């Protein structure tokens, strides 16, 4: 609906001599679907790195750092996850028409459709996971945009990222069982939860880790990309 209004607002009465030039300029400023391929590829490449690199590089990590293989895997997952925040929001620089309203609106529309598809699929397999992701991600995904209180949107996006959601869930669980923990103990519980998620996947075929790494995280990065649209 906003894309349609954006097109309607861009149409102004012009004389016959200016209509052709204005139409050509409008077409050049409109990003097509192919121009959205770079952010999609970059975000999903980051997800693939998050899924494959920790296990493939665990032997290299143990040779250069005084950690065990299990610790190396978990720390590499955390490092790749955090490093991904600095990469995708630079992708609009390679897009044509990135300065227009249609650019970030089209990318956000694609992100919302992608998120809806993921939630619909995971709800059939793991309803509790789908419900948790919907409650946390959908409200923020609906309001995020590169205009307005950008820092507030950035904080909200960081709070609903799957890793921070897991960390806050651990804190809430410890409070509910009336066994509060310190920040260091909470961090250790978080690393333990990540390692158990990896172990469940590689030993028992759990889909939670690959679903988060290959689908939810790239979708979240697309929303992060929308927020930092140039």
């Amino acid at each position: 609906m906003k894309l349609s209004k954006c097109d309607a607002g861009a149409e102004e009465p012009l004389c016959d001599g200016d209509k052709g030039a204005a139409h050509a300029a409008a077409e050049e400023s409109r990003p097509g679907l192919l121009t959205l391929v770079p952010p999609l590829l970059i975000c999903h490449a980051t997800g693939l790195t998050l899924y494959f690199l920790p296990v493939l590089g665990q032997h290299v990590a143990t040779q250069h750092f005084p950690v065990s293989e299990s610790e190396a895997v978990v720390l590499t997952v955390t490092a790749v996850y955090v490093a991904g925040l600095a990469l995708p929001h630079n992708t609009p620089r390679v897009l044509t028409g990135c300065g227009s309203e249609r650019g970030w609106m089209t990318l956000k529309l694609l992100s919302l459709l992608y998120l809806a598809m993921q939630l619909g699929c995971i709800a059939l397999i793991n309803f509790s996971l789908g419900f948790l992701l919907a409650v946390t991600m959908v409200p923020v995904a609906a309001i995020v945009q590169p205009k307005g209180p950008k820092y507030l949107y950035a904080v909200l996006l960081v709070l609903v990222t799957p890793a921070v959601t897991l960390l806050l869930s651990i804190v809430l669980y410890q409070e509910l069982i009336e066994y509060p923990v310190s920040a260091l103990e909470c961090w250790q519980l978080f690393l333990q939860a990540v390692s158990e998620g990896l172990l469940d996947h590689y030993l028992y075929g759990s889909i939670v880790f690959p679903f988060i790494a290959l689908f939810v995280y790239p979708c979240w990065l697309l929303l992060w990309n929308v927020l930092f649209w140039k």
Side-chain angles (χ1 to χ4, degrees), residues 2 89 92 98-108 140-151 153-154 157 222-230:
K2 288 184 178 181
H89 71 269
C98 62
S100 64
E101 290 285 318
R102 289 183 58 88
W104 69 266
M105 286 185 180
T106 306
L107 183 60
K108 181 175 179 179
V140 179
I143 65 173
V144 66
Q145 57 182 348
K147 301 184 298 183
K150 183 177 292 187
Y151 292 105
Y153 293 153
L157 265 179
L222 288 175
L223 296 171
W224 187 257
N225 207 336
V226 170
L227 178 63
F228 289 96
W229 193 264
K230 302 295 182 181

Side-chain angles (χ1 to χ4, degrees), residues 118-201:
Q118 293 179 21
L119 295 178
C121 292
I122 196 61
L124 300 175
I125 305 173
N126 189 336
F127 181 80
S128 59
L129 176 60
F131 179 77
L132 179 62
L133 291 174
V135 168
T136 55
M137 292 189 65
V138 169
V140 179
I143 65 173
V144 66
Q145 57 182 348
K147 301 184 298 183
K150 183 177 292 187
Y151 292 105
L152 176 61
Y153 293 153
V155 171
L156 291 176
L157 265 179
V158 171
L159 289 177
V160 300
T161 187
V164 178
T165 301
L166 175 60
L167 183 62
L168 295 178
S169 299
I170 292 174
V171 175
L172 179 61
Y173 174 75
Q174 295 298 133
E175 292 292 336
L176 290 176
I177 64 174
E178 298 182 354
Y179 188 73
V181 293
S182 63
L184 179 59
E185 293 174 333
C186 183
W187 176 250
Q188 292 175 345
L189 291 174
F190 170 76
L191 296 180
Q192 181 181 352
V194 174
S195 64
E196 290 178 354
L198 288 165
L199 190 64
D200 288 342
H201 169 60

